[in-house]
Amino acid sequence: RSTLFPYTTLFRSLFMIGVIGLGKVGLPLALVMRHYGHQVIGWDIDVKRVQSELETRDPRVHPEKELRDLLDADAYQVPLAPDGESVIKYSDVIFLVPPTPLPGFLGDRPVPNRLETFDLRTLIELFKQVCECAEKLGRPITVVVVSTIGLNWVDGQEWFQDTKWVKVAYNPPFISLGQVVADFTNQRFLLVGSNTPKAADAVAAAWTPVDNKIPVLRMSIASAVIAKLAYNAVKTTRITWMNSLAILAEAHGANIDSISSMLHLAGEPKVQAGLGDGGACRIRDMVSLHWGMVGARAGDGLPDSVIQAREEHADWIATETARHCPDGRVTILGTTYKPGVPYEDGSPALLVGGFLANAGVSVTYWDPLARPEPMPSAGGPFLLAIPHTDVLRWLATEAKPGANE
């Protein structure tokens, strides 16, 4: 309901928190900070969009129930500032959450041979404006960069340095789209990169105003950047390796589930073969790690090999699927990057669909959460890619007996 910042009723709470960039991550972050008892002010270049998203409870806009619950509580509404300077004027800690553009590298289609790095011009410009405004106002603030960055944008870069009035920290979140509030409010640890203890203290205090039992991992900014990239890279590598073993097992009549169980009993994390790793950040961070290793002259083989192996596995699934499509057509059930969310960024199902189309197969998609198309013909053949509850229910009740899955 509220959108304009209530200057006349301004009061000091635990912190005055500013959030610049109220998108899929920034808006939930602002709401969670408000939930924690901070006074929050937000700003986004697209004010109309944010106002609309603050007012609606449409699950198609806010698929996460926890986010809708926060929006339902009037006390947790995030007032919008008329401009970025107002955020700086009234905030102790400012979270910068603009998107991290990396066009074409989301993982739902093959990564081009010519890799590019993050385009952080928007983030850098925001940071510079905050520094200039803080100096003009003579106001000390802590600036927390949330958006993912690569090492090439940190080492030796003046834009990411402390100034007289601004202390900077890097606080990448470990979240999944579709469950951002749940992940923010159930963090296993906080990763804080800073060259100033005061900035790290401010970040830790902002996230743990009530329960200070969350482990806080404090390190240099460069260490935090590598740690965040490594977290996603290790997960993607583990899943991709298991899927590559699945191809090997299939070729020799072996059972990949038995192999996976043995590895788990031997102490390895439980990983089952299936579709490739999903989510835009995973492949994006692999690309960033590639450039970090190139810059350090550490070689670039591992990130490139994982990306290639992920795509080879998707191509293998497409080839095996095409063998069961005598009419040259197939319907892929589920197109999001994982079950229960409406987002297709980094979807392995779309990656497989692209390889099928390249092989001359006519591909139809159906996903009750992401695409409004009508339900597919019940005759099949089908490729069950993402097992949403509604997809499984439809298969059990509507698919014709004998339809290929």
Side-chain angles (χ1 to χ4, degrees):
R1 187 175 65 219
S2 61
T3 51
L4 295 179
F5 187 62
Y7 296 100
T8 57
T9 60
L10 179 65
F11 65 90
R12 283 280 167 180
S13 57
L14 295 169
F15 273 121
M16 284 296 301
I17 300 288
V19 181
I20 297 180
L22 298 171
K24 293 177 181 178
V25 176
L27 181 58
L29 187 154
L31 289 166
V32 168
M33 286 293 162
R34 184 70 165 160
H35 175 66
Y36 283 168
H38 303 298
Q39 187 75 0
V40 178
I41 177 173
W43 181 78
D44 192 281
I45 194 170
D46 190 351
V47 175
K48 289 185 178 179
R49 174 189 59 79
V50 177
Q51 287 176 329
S52 174
E53 291 183 359
L54 284 171
E55 294 168 359
T56 185
R57 303 297 180 267
D58 188 340
R60 293 171 296 181
V61 178
H62 301 302
E64 186 180 2
K65 181 182 183 299
E66 290 83 353
L67 179 57
R68 299 196 301 273
D69 289 343
L70 288 184
L71 288 167
D72 277 336
D74 288 348
Y76 300 155
Q77 290 289 345
V78 175
L80 298 184
D83 50 52
E85 184 170 333
S86 298
V87 176
I88 301 166
K89 185 176 181 180
Y90 291 100
S91 298
D92 302 310
V93 179
I94 296 177
F95 288 86
L96 296 185
V97 203
T100 302
L102 197 59
F105 301 157
L106 298 181
D108 48 27
R109 52 192 178 276
V111 175
N113 291 329
R114 181 180 178 273
L115 298 179
E116 298 179 8
T117 187
F118 295 154
D119 183 356
L120 297 186
R121 287 174 293 183
T122 298
L123 175 60
I124 293 173
E125 185 59 30
L126 273 176
F127 184 84
K128 289 180 177 179
Q129 290 176 7
V130 169
C131 290
E132 292 171 358
C133 189
E135 183 176 4
K136 183 178 72 173
L137 296 172
R139 178 173 175 76
I141 57 174
T142 298
V143 174
V144 185
V145 175
V146 175
S147 306
T148 298
I149 56 179
L151 280 167
N152 58 310
W153 290 105
V154 176
D155 293 340
Q157 299 291 322
E158 294 182 359
W159 79 273
F160 206 43
Q161 304 295 325
D162 293 339
T163 70
K164 177 181 179 181
W165 298 104
V166 173
K167 304 306 177 187
V168 62
Y170 179 53
N171 178 218
F174 297 90
I175 56 175
S176 298
L177 290 182
Q179 57 185 57
V180 177
V181 170
D183 288 342
F184 271 147
T185 54
N186 294 279
Q187 299 186 72
R188 290 181 294 166
F189 62 90
L190 291 174
L191 176 60
V192 183
S194 177
N195 299 323
T196 306
K198 183 178 179 180
D201 291 342
V203 176
W207 279 115
T208 58
V210 178
D211 183 356
N212 60 3
K213 297 179 181 179
I214 302 174
V216 180
L217 306 180
R218 302 167 186 249
M219 56 189 70
S220 69
I221 292 176
S223 296
V225 170
I226 295 176
K228 194 274 181 182
L229 297 176
Y231 178 88
N232 278 333
V234 166
K235 284 183 171 292
T236 297
T237 300
R238 184 180 292 124
I239 293 171
T240 303
W241 172 237
M242 185 58 65
N243 286 338
S244 295
L245 284 177
I247 299 176
L248 180 64
E250 184 76 13
H252 292 275
N255 188 317
I256 187 59
D257 291 334
S258 297
I259 298 169
S260 173
S261 296
M262 183 282 294
L263 291 172
H264 181 55
L265 288 174
E268 296 299 319
K270 181 65 173 178
V271 179
Q272 289 183 307
L275 279 187
D277 195 17
C281 62
R282 297 287 177 81
I283 299 303
R284 181 194 65 186
D285 287 3
M286 272 290 188
V287 173
S288 181
L289 202 58
H290 159 91
W291 284 114
M293 296 181 75
V294 168
R297 297 182 179 180
D300 59 358
L302 181 58
D304 287 0
S305 295
V306 173
I307 292 172
Q308 181 179 350
R310 179 179 181 271
E311 294 175 3
E312 289 173 347
H313 176 258
D315 193 15
W316 176 76
I317 291 180
T319 300
E320 292 299 303
T321 301
R323 293 175 52 237
H324 298 279
C325 303
D327 296 333
R329 60 182 178 83
V330 66
T331 296
I332 292 182
L333 303 178
T335 62
T336 60
Y337 81 92
K338 72 174 186 176
V341 301
Y343 303 113
E344 295 183 333
D345 298 343
S347 166
L350 296 182
L351 182 62
V352 172
F355 283 118
L356 278 166
N358 291 340
V361 177
S362 176
V363 181
T364 302
Y365 297 97
W366 180 60
D367 191 299
L369 299 183
R371 301 194 176 211
E373 290 89 347
M375 288 186 178
S377 168
F382 304 112
L383 171 62
L384 176 57
I386 306 297
H388 297 301
T389 300
D390 288 345
V391 169
L392 296 177
R393 184 183 299 117
W394 182 88
L395 276 173
T397 60
E398 301 294 335
K400 293 178 181 178
N404 293 316
E405 180 179 326

